[in-house]
Amino acid sequence: MLESQRPNPFAMAQEQLDQAAAILQLDPSLHTFLREPMREMHVTIPLRMDDGSMRIYRGYRVQYNTARGPAKGGIRFHSAETVDTVRALAAWMTWKTAVVDIPLGGGKGGVVCNPKELSPSELERLSRGYIRAIGGFVGPEIDVPAPDVYTTPQIMAWMLDEYENMVRHHAPGVITGKPLIMGGSQGRFESTARGGIIVLREAAKQLGTALCGKTMAIQGYGNAGQHAHRIASGECETRVLAVSDSKGGIYSARGLDYAAVSAHKAATGSVRDFPGADNITNEELLTLDVDVLVPAALEGVITKANADQVKAKIVAELANGPTTPEADAILFDKGVYVLPDFLCNAGGVVVSYFEMVQNASAYYWTPEEVGQRLEAKMTTAYDAVHEMAQRHHVNNRVGAYLISVQRVAEAVRMRGWA
Ligand code: GLU
Protein backbone atom coordinates (compact mmCIF):
# COMPACT_ATOMS: atom_id res chain seq x y z
CA MET A 1 0.00 0.00 0.00
CA LEU A 2 1.35 3.45 -0.89
CA GLU A 3 2.31 5.55 2.13
CA SER A 4 -0.18 8.28 1.08
CA GLN A 5 -3.04 5.73 1.00
CA ARG A 6 -2.42 4.47 4.52
CA PRO A 7 -5.10 5.59 6.95
CA ASN A 8 -3.94 8.29 9.37
CA PRO A 9 -3.96 6.42 12.70
CA PHE A 10 -4.73 9.51 14.78
CA ALA A 11 -7.73 10.36 12.57
CA MET A 12 -8.82 6.75 13.14
CA ALA A 13 -8.45 7.06 16.91
CA GLN A 14 -10.43 10.30 16.96
CA GLU A 15 -13.18 8.79 14.82
CA GLN A 16 -13.48 5.85 17.22
CA LEU A 17 -13.72 8.22 20.18
CA ASP A 18 -16.36 10.32 18.38
CA GLN A 19 -18.54 7.22 17.93
CA ALA A 20 -18.40 6.43 21.65
CA ALA A 21 -18.93 10.08 22.63
CA ALA A 22 -22.09 10.20 20.53
CA ILE A 23 -23.56 7.10 22.23
CA LEU A 24 -22.59 8.40 25.69
CA GLN A 25 -23.89 11.88 24.83
CA LEU A 26 -20.63 13.09 26.28
CA ASP A 27 -20.42 16.69 27.40
CA PRO A 28 -18.89 18.64 24.44
CA SER A 29 -16.06 20.16 26.48
CA LEU A 30 -15.07 16.71 27.83
CA HIS A 31 -15.24 15.32 24.31
CA THR A 32 -13.03 18.12 22.95
CA PHE A 33 -10.55 17.59 25.78
CA LEU A 34 -10.33 13.85 25.13
CA ARG A 35 -9.80 14.31 21.36
CA GLU A 36 -6.32 15.82 21.81
CA PRO A 37 -3.11 14.86 23.65
CA MET A 38 -2.46 16.80 26.86
CA ARG A 39 1.27 17.15 26.25
CA GLU A 40 3.77 16.13 23.60
CA MET A 41 7.51 16.42 23.11
CA HIS A 42 9.33 16.57 19.79
CA VAL A 43 13.03 16.00 20.26
CA THR A 44 16.13 15.96 18.08
CA ILE A 45 18.70 13.31 18.94
CA PRO A 46 22.27 13.53 17.64
CA LEU A 47 23.93 10.14 17.23
CA ARG A 48 27.67 9.55 16.82
CA MET A 49 27.99 6.58 14.46
CA ASP A 50 30.72 3.94 14.84
CA ASP A 51 32.62 5.39 11.87
CA GLY A 52 32.81 8.79 13.58
CA SER A 53 30.13 10.51 11.46
CA MET A 54 27.04 12.16 13.00
CA ARG A 55 23.39 11.46 12.25
CA ILE A 56 20.40 13.37 13.55
CA TYR A 57 17.23 11.51 14.58
CA ARG A 58 13.70 12.65 15.37
CA GLY A 59 11.94 11.43 18.52
CA TYR A 60 8.54 11.93 20.13
CA ARG A 61 6.88 11.32 23.47
CA VAL A 62 3.15 11.97 23.73
CA GLN A 63 1.42 12.05 27.14
CA TYR A 64 -2.13 11.73 25.94
CA ASN A 65 -4.05 11.78 29.19
CA THR A 66 -2.97 11.61 32.84
CA ALA A 67 -6.32 12.05 34.63
CA ARG A 68 -6.26 8.48 36.01
CA GLY A 69 -2.53 8.27 36.76
CA PRO A 70 0.95 8.71 35.26
CA ALA A 71 1.18 8.37 31.48
CA LYS A 72 2.06 4.80 30.46
CA GLY A 73 3.09 3.28 27.17
CA GLY A 74 5.87 1.92 25.04
CA ILE A 75 8.57 3.38 22.81
CA ARG A 76 8.80 2.32 19.17
CA PHE A 77 11.90 2.42 16.98
CA HIS A 78 10.56 2.43 13.43
CA SER A 79 11.44 4.17 10.18
CA ALA A 80 7.77 4.88 9.33
CA GLU A 81 7.04 6.49 12.72
CA THR A 82 5.13 9.79 12.56
CA VAL A 83 3.86 12.06 15.30
CA ASP A 84 0.28 11.12 14.35
CA THR A 85 1.07 7.44 14.84
CA VAL A 86 2.50 8.18 18.27
CA ARG A 87 -0.55 10.33 19.14
CA ALA A 88 -2.91 7.52 18.14
CA LEU A 89 -0.94 4.93 20.08
CA ALA A 90 -0.90 7.22 23.13
CA ALA A 91 -4.68 7.66 22.88
CA TRP A 92 -5.13 3.88 22.65
CA MET A 93 -2.94 3.46 25.75
CA THR A 94 -5.30 5.83 27.59
CA TRP A 95 -8.29 3.63 26.72
CA LYS A 96 -6.24 0.47 27.40
CA THR A 97 -5.27 1.31 30.98
CA ALA A 98 -8.86 2.40 31.61
CA VAL A 99 -10.53 -0.75 30.23
CA VAL A 100 -8.45 -3.02 32.49
CA ASP A 101 -8.91 -0.50 35.32
CA ILE A 102 -5.31 0.11 36.36
CA PRO A 103 -4.44 3.51 37.87
CA LEU A 104 -2.48 4.85 34.91
CA GLY A 105 -2.98 7.21 32.00
CA GLY A 106 -1.81 6.80 28.41
CA GLY A 107 1.36 7.79 26.58
CA LYS A 108 3.61 6.60 23.78
CA GLY A 109 7.04 7.37 22.37
CA GLY A 110 8.83 6.81 19.13
CA VAL A 111 12.12 7.39 17.37
CA VAL A 112 12.14 7.59 13.57
CA CYS A 113 14.94 5.14 12.77
CA ASN A 114 15.66 1.74 11.32
CA PRO A 115 17.16 -0.18 14.26
CA LYS A 116 18.15 -3.04 11.93
CA GLU A 117 20.73 -0.72 10.32
CA LEU A 118 22.35 0.25 13.64
CA SER A 119 25.16 -1.60 15.38
CA PRO A 120 24.57 -2.60 19.04
CA SER A 121 26.71 0.32 20.26
CA GLU A 122 24.88 2.81 17.98
CA LEU A 123 21.56 1.45 19.27
CA GLU A 124 22.76 1.93 22.84
CA ARG A 125 23.81 5.54 22.19
CA LEU A 126 20.49 6.28 20.44
CA SER A 127 18.50 4.78 23.36
CA ARG A 128 20.48 6.80 25.88
CA GLY A 129 20.19 9.94 23.72
CA TYR A 130 16.41 9.58 23.55
CA ILE A 131 16.11 9.28 27.33
CA ARG A 132 18.44 12.25 27.86
CA ALA A 133 16.12 14.28 25.60
CA ILE A 134 12.86 13.36 27.38
CA GLY A 135 14.26 12.44 30.83
CA GLY A 136 13.18 15.68 32.50
CA PHE A 137 9.55 14.86 31.71
CA VAL A 138 9.29 11.18 32.65
CA GLY A 139 9.46 9.42 36.03
CA PRO A 140 7.64 6.77 38.08
CA GLU A 141 4.98 9.31 39.04
CA ILE A 142 4.93 11.20 35.72
CA ASP A 143 5.27 8.97 32.69
CA VAL A 144 6.54 5.38 32.50
CA PRO A 145 7.80 4.06 29.13
CA ALA A 146 8.07 0.38 28.11
CA PRO A 147 9.00 -1.76 25.08
CA ASP A 148 7.02 -1.70 21.84
CA VAL A 149 7.84 -2.34 18.17
CA TYR A 150 11.61 -3.06 17.80
CA THR A 151 12.51 -2.09 21.37
CA THR A 152 13.74 -4.76 23.78
CA PRO A 153 14.50 -5.43 27.48
CA GLN A 154 18.17 -4.55 26.72
CA ILE A 155 17.06 -1.14 25.39
CA MET A 156 14.94 -0.65 28.55
CA ALA A 157 18.03 -1.45 30.64
CA TRP A 158 20.13 1.21 28.86
CA MET A 159 17.32 3.73 29.19
CA LEU A 160 16.88 3.01 32.90
CA ASP A 161 20.61 3.33 33.50
CA GLU A 162 20.71 6.65 31.64
CA TYR A 163 17.73 8.00 33.59
CA GLU A 164 19.28 6.93 36.91
CA ASN A 165 22.49 8.72 35.92
CA MET A 166 20.42 11.87 35.37
CA VAL A 167 18.51 11.74 38.68
CA ARG A 168 21.41 10.20 40.65
CA HIS A 169 19.40 7.54 42.46
CA HIS A 170 17.81 4.17 41.70
CA ALA A 171 14.40 4.52 40.08
CA PRO A 172 13.46 1.12 38.60
CA GLY A 173 9.79 2.15 38.31
CA VAL A 174 10.58 4.74 35.60
CA ILE A 175 10.46 2.09 32.91
CA THR A 176 8.91 -1.37 32.56
CA GLY A 177 9.71 -4.43 30.47
CA LYS A 178 13.18 -4.41 32.07
CA PRO A 179 15.33 -7.53 32.33
CA LEU A 180 14.50 -9.49 35.53
CA ILE A 181 17.93 -8.74 36.99
CA MET A 182 17.16 -4.99 36.92
CA GLY A 183 13.72 -5.22 38.54
CA GLY A 184 11.63 -6.60 35.70
CA SER A 185 8.55 -8.72 36.44
CA GLN A 186 8.12 -12.42 35.97
CA GLY A 187 5.90 -13.06 32.96
CA ARG A 188 6.30 -9.60 31.37
CA PHE A 189 7.79 -10.80 28.09
CA GLU A 190 4.96 -13.15 27.24
CA SER A 191 2.25 -11.05 28.90
CA THR A 192 0.83 -9.35 25.77
CA ALA A 193 0.28 -12.73 24.10
CA ARG A 194 -0.79 -14.39 27.36
CA GLY A 195 -3.45 -11.71 27.97
CA GLY A 196 -4.67 -12.03 24.38
CA ILE A 197 -5.01 -15.80 24.68
CA ILE A 198 -7.00 -15.39 27.93
CA VAL A 199 -9.40 -13.00 26.17
CA LEU A 200 -9.61 -15.33 23.17
CA ARG A 201 -10.39 -18.30 25.42
CA GLU A 202 -13.17 -16.32 27.17
CA ALA A 203 -14.56 -15.19 23.80
CA ALA A 204 -14.60 -18.76 22.48
CA LYS A 205 -16.48 -19.82 25.62
CA GLN A 206 -18.95 -16.99 25.09
CA LEU A 207 -19.46 -18.11 21.48
CA GLY A 208 -20.17 -21.64 22.70
CA THR A 209 -16.93 -23.24 21.56
CA ALA A 210 -13.29 -23.80 22.68
CA LEU A 211 -9.87 -22.93 21.29
CA CYS A 212 -8.63 -26.52 21.23
CA GLY A 213 -8.51 -27.85 17.64
CA LYS A 214 -9.21 -24.45 16.05
CA THR A 215 -7.04 -23.05 13.26
CA MET A 216 -5.16 -19.74 13.49
CA ALA A 217 -3.09 -17.35 11.36
CA ILE A 218 -0.73 -14.84 13.00
CA GLN A 219 0.50 -11.72 11.18
CA GLY A 220 3.71 -10.43 12.77
CA TYR A 221 6.43 -12.47 14.48
CA GLY A 222 7.80 -10.06 17.07
CA ASN A 223 7.35 -10.49 20.80
CA ALA A 224 3.53 -10.74 20.74
CA GLY A 225 3.24 -12.90 17.60
CA GLN A 226 5.90 -15.42 18.63
CA HIS A 227 4.57 -15.92 22.15
CA ALA A 228 1.02 -16.21 20.76
CA HIS A 229 2.24 -19.00 18.45
CA ARG A 230 3.93 -20.78 21.35
CA ILE A 231 1.02 -20.52 23.78
CA ALA A 232 -1.75 -21.18 21.23
CA SER A 233 -0.11 -24.23 19.67
CA GLY A 234 1.26 -25.56 22.95
CA GLU A 235 -1.11 -25.08 25.87
CA CYS A 236 -4.27 -24.45 23.81
CA GLU A 237 -3.76 -27.08 21.10
CA THR A 238 -4.72 -24.59 18.41
CA ARG A 239 -3.35 -25.37 14.93
CA VAL A 240 -1.35 -22.35 13.72
CA LEU A 241 -1.46 -22.66 9.92
CA ALA A 242 0.29 -19.43 8.97
CA VAL A 243 2.66 -16.83 10.42
CA SER A 244 4.45 -13.88 8.86
CA ASP A 245 6.99 -11.14 9.52
CA SER A 246 7.96 -7.98 7.65
CA LYS A 247 9.57 -10.05 4.87
CA GLY A 248 6.48 -12.23 4.18
CA GLY A 249 4.66 -15.28 5.49
CA ILE A 250 4.48 -19.08 5.45
CA TYR A 251 1.56 -21.51 5.34
CA SER A 252 1.19 -25.20 6.13
CA ALA A 253 -2.18 -26.99 6.22
CA ARG A 254 -0.72 -29.41 8.83
CA GLY A 255 0.19 -26.55 11.19
CA LEU A 256 3.50 -24.85 12.00
CA ASP A 257 5.67 -26.07 14.86
CA TYR A 258 6.61 -23.14 17.11
CA ALA A 259 10.10 -24.31 18.13
CA ALA A 260 11.10 -25.10 14.54
CA VAL A 261 9.75 -21.84 13.05
CA SER A 262 11.29 -19.60 15.72
CA ALA A 263 14.65 -21.41 15.34
CA HIS A 264 14.42 -20.87 11.55
CA LYS A 265 13.69 -17.17 12.09
CA ALA A 266 16.58 -16.85 14.55
CA ALA A 267 18.94 -18.50 12.05
CA THR A 268 17.81 -16.76 8.83
CA GLY A 269 16.26 -13.48 10.03
CA SER A 270 12.81 -14.38 8.66
CA VAL A 271 10.08 -17.02 8.77
CA ARG A 272 10.19 -17.14 4.93
CA ASP A 273 11.42 -20.31 3.18
CA PHE A 274 10.60 -22.51 6.17
CA PRO A 275 11.13 -26.13 5.04
CA GLY A 276 7.86 -27.91 4.28
CA ALA A 277 5.72 -24.73 4.21
CA ASP A 278 4.57 -22.54 1.30
CA ASN A 279 5.64 -18.89 1.14
CA ILE A 280 2.67 -16.49 1.16
CA THR A 281 2.35 -12.71 1.33
CA ASN A 282 1.19 -10.74 4.36
CA GLU A 283 -1.92 -9.78 2.37
CA GLU A 284 -2.75 -13.44 1.68
CA LEU A 285 -2.35 -14.34 5.34
CA LEU A 286 -5.09 -11.89 6.36
CA THR A 287 -7.72 -13.56 4.17
CA LEU A 288 -6.89 -17.23 4.88
CA ASP A 289 -9.68 -19.61 5.76
CA VAL A 290 -8.92 -20.00 9.48
CA ASP A 291 -11.02 -19.80 12.65
CA VAL A 292 -8.92 -17.11 14.33
CA LEU A 293 -6.92 -14.31 12.72
CA VAL A 294 -4.33 -12.61 14.93
CA PRO A 295 -2.93 -9.34 13.57
CA ALA A 296 0.18 -8.86 15.71
CA ALA A 297 2.24 -6.41 13.64
CA LEU A 298 1.42 -2.81 12.74
CA GLU A 299 -1.64 -0.56 12.44
CA GLY A 300 -3.96 -0.18 9.45
CA VAL A 301 -3.70 -3.66 7.87
CA ILE A 302 -7.40 -4.63 7.78
CA THR A 303 -9.03 -1.92 5.68
CA LYS A 304 -12.12 -1.45 3.51
CA ALA A 305 -10.07 -2.97 0.66
CA ASN A 306 -9.72 -6.42 2.26
CA ALA A 307 -12.19 -6.61 5.18
CA ASP A 308 -14.90 -8.37 3.20
CA GLN A 309 -12.41 -11.11 2.26
CA VAL A 310 -11.55 -11.91 5.90
CA LYS A 311 -12.76 -15.48 6.50
CA ALA A 312 -11.84 -15.84 10.18
CA LYS A 313 -14.71 -15.98 12.67
CA ILE A 314 -12.70 -14.23 15.37
CA VAL A 315 -10.11 -11.47 14.93
CA ALA A 316 -7.88 -11.13 18.00
CA GLU A 317 -5.97 -7.85 17.71
CA LEU A 318 -2.58 -8.18 19.38
CA ALA A 319 -1.30 -5.23 17.31
CA ASN A 320 -2.39 -1.68 18.07
CA GLY A 321 -4.84 -0.24 15.53
CA PRO A 322 -4.77 -3.03 12.90
CA THR A 323 -8.39 -2.45 11.81
CA THR A 324 -9.67 0.82 10.32
CA PRO A 325 -13.14 2.12 11.32
CA GLU A 326 -14.51 1.31 7.83
CA ALA A 327 -13.19 -2.24 8.08
CA ASP A 328 -14.70 -2.53 11.57
CA ALA A 329 -18.16 -1.83 10.18
CA ILE A 330 -17.68 -4.41 7.39
CA LEU A 331 -16.48 -7.09 9.84
CA PHE A 332 -19.37 -6.40 12.22
CA ASP A 333 -21.91 -6.74 9.38
CA LYS A 334 -20.31 -10.04 8.36
CA GLY A 335 -20.65 -11.32 11.94
CA VAL A 336 -16.88 -11.49 12.59
CA TYR A 337 -16.26 -11.28 16.34
CA VAL A 338 -13.44 -8.74 16.81
CA LEU A 339 -11.48 -8.60 20.06
CA PRO A 340 -10.33 -5.00 19.94
CA ASP A 341 -6.68 -4.07 20.39
CA PHE A 342 -6.84 -2.12 23.61
CA LEU A 343 -8.62 -5.01 25.33
CA CYS A 344 -6.93 -7.93 23.55
CA ASN A 345 -3.33 -6.69 23.89
CA ALA A 346 -3.70 -5.11 27.36
CA GLY A 347 -1.86 -8.00 29.05
CA GLY A 348 1.44 -6.22 28.37
CA VAL A 349 0.54 -3.06 30.22
CA VAL A 350 -1.21 -4.99 32.98
CA VAL A 351 2.03 -6.82 33.80
CA SER A 352 3.92 -3.52 33.34
CA TYR A 353 1.68 -2.14 36.07
CA PHE A 354 2.47 -5.19 38.23
CA GLU A 355 6.15 -4.45 37.56
CA MET A 356 5.67 -0.86 38.80
CA VAL A 357 3.90 -2.12 41.95
CA GLN A 358 6.75 -4.57 42.64
CA ASN A 359 9.37 -1.85 42.03
CA ALA A 360 7.58 0.55 44.39
CA SER A 361 7.44 -2.04 47.18
CA ALA A 362 10.83 -3.62 46.34
CA TYR A 363 9.18 -7.02 46.77
CA TYR A 364 8.87 -9.44 43.87
CA TRP A 365 6.11 -11.89 42.97
CA THR A 366 6.31 -15.46 41.70
CA PRO A 367 5.31 -16.32 38.12
CA GLU A 368 2.15 -17.93 39.55
CA GLU A 369 1.14 -14.74 41.39
CA VAL A 370 1.64 -12.68 38.23
CA GLY A 371 -0.31 -15.22 36.17
CA GLN A 372 -3.28 -15.34 38.55
CA ARG A 373 -3.54 -11.55 38.78
CA LEU A 374 -3.28 -11.17 34.99
CA GLU A 375 -5.99 -13.80 34.56
CA ALA A 376 -8.31 -11.89 36.92
CA LYS A 377 -7.74 -8.52 35.22
CA MET A 378 -8.25 -9.85 31.69
CA THR A 379 -11.36 -11.93 32.36
CA THR A 380 -13.04 -9.09 34.28
CA ALA A 381 -12.29 -6.65 31.44
CA TYR A 382 -13.49 -9.06 28.74
CA ASP A 383 -16.77 -9.76 30.57
CA ALA A 384 -17.44 -6.03 31.01
CA VAL A 385 -16.73 -5.27 27.32
CA HIS A 386 -18.85 -8.15 26.05
CA GLU A 387 -21.73 -7.15 28.33
CA MET A 388 -21.51 -3.47 27.27
CA ALA A 389 -21.42 -4.36 23.57
CA GLN A 390 -24.49 -6.62 23.92
CA ARG A 391 -26.38 -4.00 25.89
CA HIS A 392 -25.87 -1.31 23.24
CA HIS A 393 -25.99 -3.65 20.18
CA VAL A 394 -22.55 -2.44 19.10
CA ASN A 395 -19.27 -4.18 18.30
CA ASN A 396 -16.76 -5.00 21.04
CA ARG A 397 -14.55 -2.04 20.13
CA VAL A 398 -17.35 0.43 20.72
CA GLY A 399 -18.28 -1.51 23.88
CA ALA A 400 -14.71 -1.15 25.14
CA TYR A 401 -14.66 2.57 24.27
CA LEU A 402 -17.90 3.13 26.19
CA ILE A 403 -16.30 1.72 29.35
CA SER A 404 -12.95 3.50 28.98
CA VAL A 405 -14.24 6.89 27.86
CA GLN A 406 -16.68 6.95 30.78
CA ARG A 407 -13.86 6.19 33.25
CA VAL A 408 -11.40 8.73 31.84
CA ALA A 409 -14.07 11.40 31.33
CA GLU A 410 -15.21 11.01 34.94
CA ALA A 411 -11.65 11.53 36.24
CA VAL A 412 -11.18 14.56 33.96
CA ARG A 413 -14.49 16.00 35.19
CA MET A 414 -13.70 15.36 38.88
CA ARG A 415 -10.38 17.17 38.44
CA GLY A 416 -12.23 20.10 36.95
CA TRP A 417 -10.24 20.01 33.72
CA ALA A 418 -13.30 20.15 31.47
N1 GLU B 1 3.78 -1.35 24.23
C1 GLU B 1 2.79 -2.14 24.91
C2 GLU B 1 1.40 -1.70 24.51
O1 GLU B 1 1.16 -1.14 23.46
C3 GLU B 1 3.02 -2.13 26.42
C4 GLU B 1 2.94 -0.80 27.05
C5 GLU B 1 3.40 -0.78 28.50
O2 GLU B 1 3.68 -1.84 29.03
O3 GLU B 1 3.46 0.31 29.04
O4 GLU B 1 0.45 -1.99 25.21
Coordinates of all heavy atoms in Angstrom, one line a residue, residues 74-77 115 120 123-124 127 145-160 175-179 182 188-189 222-223:
G74 N 4.6 2.3 25.6 CA 5.9 1.9 25.0 C 6.6 3.0 24.2 O 6.1 4.1 24.0
I75 N 7.8 2.6 23.7 CA 8.6 3.4 22.8 C 8.8 2.5 21.6 O 9.3 1.4 21.7 CB 9.9 3.7 23.5 CG1 9.7 4.6 24.7 CG2 10.8 4.5 22.5 CD1 11.0 4.7 25.6
R76 N 8.5 3.1 20.4 CA 8.8 2.3 19.2 C 10.0 2.9 18.4 O 10.2 4.1 18.4 CB 7.6 2.4 18.2 CG 6.3 2.1 18.9 CD 5.2 1.5 18.0 NE 5.0 2.3 16.8 CZ 4.1 1.9 15.9 NH1 3.4 0.8 16.1 NH2 3.9 2.6 14.8
F77 N 10.8 2.0 17.9 CA 11.9 2.4 17.0 C 11.5 2.0 15.6 O 11.6 0.8 15.3 CB 13.2 1.7 17.4 CG 13.9 2.4 18.6 CD1 13.4 3.4 19.3 CD2 15.2 1.9 19.0 CE1 14.1 4.0 20.3 CE2 15.9 2.5 20.1 CZ 15.3 3.5 20.7
P115 N 16.2 0.4 13.3 CA 17.2 -0.2 14.3 C 18.0 -1.3 13.6 O 19.1 -1.6 14.1 CB 16.3 -0.7 15.4 CG 14.9 -0.8 14.8 CD 14.8 0.2 13.7
P120 N 25.0 -2.6 17.6 CA 24.6 -2.6 19.0 C 25.0 -1.3 19.8 O 24.3 -0.8 20.6 CB 25.2 -3.9 19.6 CG 25.4 -4.8 18.5 CD 25.7 -3.9 17.3
L123 N 22.9 1.6 18.7 CA 21.6 1.4 19.3 C 21.6 1.9 20.7 O 20.7 2.6 21.2 CB 21.1 0.0 19.2 CG 19.7 -0.3 19.3 CD1 18.8 0.4 18.3 CD2 19.4 -1.9 19.2
E124 N 22.6 1.5 21.4 CA 22.8 1.9 22.8 C 22.8 3.5 22.9 O 22.1 4.1 23.8 CB 24.0 1.3 23.5 CG 24.2 1.8 24.9 CD 25.4 1.2 25.7 OE1 25.9 0.2 25.2 OE2 25.7 1.7 26.8
S127 N 19.4 5.0 22.2 CA 18.5 4.8 23.4 C 18.8 5.8 24.5 O 17.9 6.4 25.1 CB 18.6 3.3 23.9 OG 18.4 2.4 22.8
P145 N 7.7 4.8 30.4 CA 7.8 4.1 29.1 C 8.0 2.5 29.3 O 8.1 2.0 30.4 CB 9.0 4.7 28.5 CG 9.3 5.9 29.2 CD 8.8 5.7 30.6
A146 N 8.0 1.8 28.2 CA 8.1 0.4 28.1 C 8.5 0.0 26.7 O 8.6 0.8 25.8 CB 6.7 -0.2 28.4
P147 N 8.7 -1.3 26.5 CA 9.0 -1.8 25.1 C 7.8 -1.7 24.2 O 6.7 -1.8 24.6 CB 9.5 -3.2 25.3 CG 9.5 -3.5 26.7 CD 8.7 -2.5 27.4
D148 N 8.1 -1.6 22.9 CA 7.0 -1.7 21.8 C 7.7 -2.2 20.6 O 8.8 -2.9 20.7 CB 6.3 -0.3 21.7 CG 4.9 -0.5 21.0 OD1 4.9 -0.7 19.8 OD2 3.9 -0.4 21.7
V149 N 7.3 -1.8 19.4 CA 7.8 -2.3 18.2 C 9.3 -2.1 18.1 O 9.8 -0.9 18.2 CB 7.1 -1.7 17.0 CG1 7.8 -2.1 15.7 CG2 5.7 -2.1 16.9
Y150 N 10.1 -3.1 17.9 CA 11.6 -3.1 17.8 C 12.3 -2.4 19.0 O 13.5 -2.0 18.8 CB 12.0 -2.3 16.5 CG 11.7 -3.1 15.3 CD1 11.0 -2.5 14.2 CD2 11.9 -4.5 15.2 CE1 10.7 -3.2 13.0 CE2 11.5 -5.2 14.1 CZ 10.9 -4.6 13.0 OH 10.6 -5.3 11.9
T151 N 11.7 -2.4 20.2 CA 12.5 -2.1 21.4 C 12.5 -3.3 22.3 O 11.5 -4.0 22.4 CB 12.0 -0.8 22.1 OG1 10.6 -0.9 22.3 CG2 12.3 0.4 21.2
T152 N 13.5 -3.5 23.1 CA 13.7 -4.8 23.8 C 14.1 -4.5 25.3 O 14.3 -3.4 25.7 CB 15.0 -5.5 23.2 OG1 16.1 -4.6 23.3 CG2 14.8 -5.8 21.7
P153 N 14.1 -5.6 26.1 CA 14.5 -5.4 27.5 C 15.9 -4.8 27.6 O 16.1 -4.0 28.5 CB 14.5 -6.9 28.0 CG 13.5 -7.6 27.2 CD 13.6 -7.0 25.8
Q154 N 16.8 -5.2 26.7 CA 18.2 -4.5 26.7 C 18.1 -3.0 26.5 O 18.8 -2.3 27.2 CB 19.0 -5.2 25.6 CG 20.4 -4.5 25.4 CD 21.3 -4.6 26.6 OE1 21.9 -5.6 26.8 NE2 21.4 -3.5 27.5
I155 N 17.2 -2.6 25.6 CA 17.1 -1.1 25.4 C 16.5 -0.5 26.6 O 16.9 0.6 27.0 CB 16.2 -0.9 24.1 CG1 17.0 -1.3 22.9 CG2 15.8 0.6 24.0 CD1 16.3 -1.2 21.6
M156 N 15.5 -1.2 27.3 CA 14.9 -0.7 28.5 C 16.0 -0.5 29.6 O 16.1 0.4 30.4 CB 13.8 -1.6 29.1 CG 12.6 -1.7 28.1 SD 11.8 -0.2 27.6 CE 12.3 -0.1 25.9
A157 N 17.0 -1.5 29.7 CA 18.0 -1.5 30.6 C 18.9 -0.2 30.4 O 19.3 0.5 31.4 CB 18.8 -2.8 30.6
W158 N 19.3 0.0 29.1 CA 20.1 1.2 28.9 C 19.4 2.5 29.2 O 20.0 3.4 29.8 CB 20.5 1.3 27.4 CG 21.4 0.2 26.9 CD1 22.5 -0.3 27.6 CD2 21.5 -0.4 25.6 NE1 23.2 -1.2 26.8 CE2 22.6 -1.3 25.6 CE3 20.7 -0.4 24.5 CZ2 22.9 -2.1 24.5 CZ3 21.0 -1.1 23.4 CH2 22.1 -2.0 23.4
M159 N 18.1 2.5 28.9 CA 17.3 3.7 29.2 C 17.2 4.0 30.7 O 17.3 5.1 31.2 CB 15.9 3.6 28.5 CG 16.0 3.7 27.0 SD 14.3 3.7 26.3 CE 14.7 4.1 24.6
L160 N 17.0 2.9 31.5 CA 16.9 3.0 32.9 C 18.2 3.5 33.5 O 18.2 4.4 34.3 CB 16.5 1.6 33.5 CG 16.6 1.6 35.1 CD1 15.6 2.6 35.7 CD2 16.3 0.2 35.6
I175 N 10.6 2.8 34.2 CA 10.5 2.1 32.9 C 10.1 0.6 33.2 O 10.6 0.1 34.2 CB 11.8 2.2 32.1 CG1 11.5 2.1 30.6 CG2 12.9 1.3 32.5 CD1 12.6 2.8 29.7
T176 N 9.3 0.0 32.4 CA 8.9 -1.4 32.6 C 9.3 -2.2 31.4 O 9.8 -1.7 30.4 CB 7.4 -1.5 32.8 OG1 6.7 -1.0 31.7 CG2 7.0 -0.8 34.1
G177 N 9.2 -3.5 31.5 CA 9.7 -4.4 30.5 C 11.2 -4.6 30.6 O 11.9 -4.9 29.6
K178 N 11.7 -4.3 31.8 CA 13.2 -4.4 32.1 C 13.6 -5.9 32.2 O 12.7 -6.7 32.5 CB 13.5 -3.7 33.4 CG 13.1 -2.3 33.5 CD 13.5 -1.7 34.9 CE 12.6 -2.2 36.1 NZ 11.2 -1.8 36.0
P179 N 14.9 -6.2 32.0 CA 15.3 -7.5 32.3 C 15.0 -7.8 33.8 O 15.1 -6.9 34.6 CB 16.8 -7.5 32.1 CG 17.0 -6.2 31.2 CD 15.9 -5.3 31.6
M182 N 17.2 -6.4 36.6 CA 17.2 -5.0 36.9 C 15.8 -4.6 37.5 O 15.4 -3.4 37.4 CB 17.5 -4.2 35.7 CG 19.0 -4.3 35.3 SD 19.4 -3.3 33.9 CE 19.2 -1.7 34.5
R188 N 6.6 -10.8 32.2 CA 6.3 -9.6 31.4 C 6.5 -9.9 29.9 O 5.7 -9.3 29.1 CB 7.2 -8.5 31.8 CG 7.1 -7.2 31.0 CD 5.8 -6.6 31.0 NE 5.6 -5.4 30.1 CZ 5.3 -5.5 28.8 NH1 5.1 -6.6 28.2 NH2 5.1 -4.4 28.1
F189 N 7.5 -10.7 29.5 CA 7.8 -10.8 28.1 C 6.7 -11.5 27.3 O 6.4 -11.2 26.2 CB 9.1 -11.5 27.9 CG 10.2 -10.8 28.6 CD1 11.1 -11.5 29.4 CD2 10.4 -9.4 28.5 CE1 12.1 -10.8 30.1 CE2 11.3 -8.7 29.2 CZ 12.2 -9.5 30.0
G222 N 7.0 -10.7 16.0 CA 7.8 -10.1 17.1 C 7.5 -10.7 18.4 O 7.0 -11.9 18.5
N223 N 7.6 -10.0 19.5 CA 7.4 -10.5 20.8 C 5.9 -11.1 20.9 O 5.8 -12.2 21.3 CB 7.6 -9.4 21.8 CG 7.2 -9.8 23.2 OD1 6.1 -10.0 23.5 ND2 8.2 -9.9 24.1

